[in-house]
Amino acid sequence: MAHPEAVATSNAQAFGLIAEGDAAWLTDEVATLTGAAPRSLQAFIAEHAAAFA
């Protein structure tokens, strides 16, 4: 089992990289794999609102 300090350090490093834009890249893989353009989370939730009720 990981020590809490190690987990906290790892999380801080990961969130630091995200904050610096390390995960800000985009690909066309959703469209390539599904044949449909990606949509926003807001659009997905609106289309499936009944499933979240």
Side-chain angles (χ1 to χ4, degrees):
M1 183 178 212
H3 295 298
E5 296 84 8
V7 173
T9 299
S10 178
N11 287 345
Q13 289 171 337
F15 286 116
L17 290 171
I18 292 168
E20 293 171 4
D22 193 58
W25 44 270
L26 300 174
T27 70
D28 62 354
E29 292 177 13
V30 168
T32 299
L33 293 172
T34 67
R39 58 187 185 261
S40 70
L41 178 59
Q42 183 178 9
F44 175 83
I45 292 171
E47 292 170 20
H48 299 89
F52 297 99

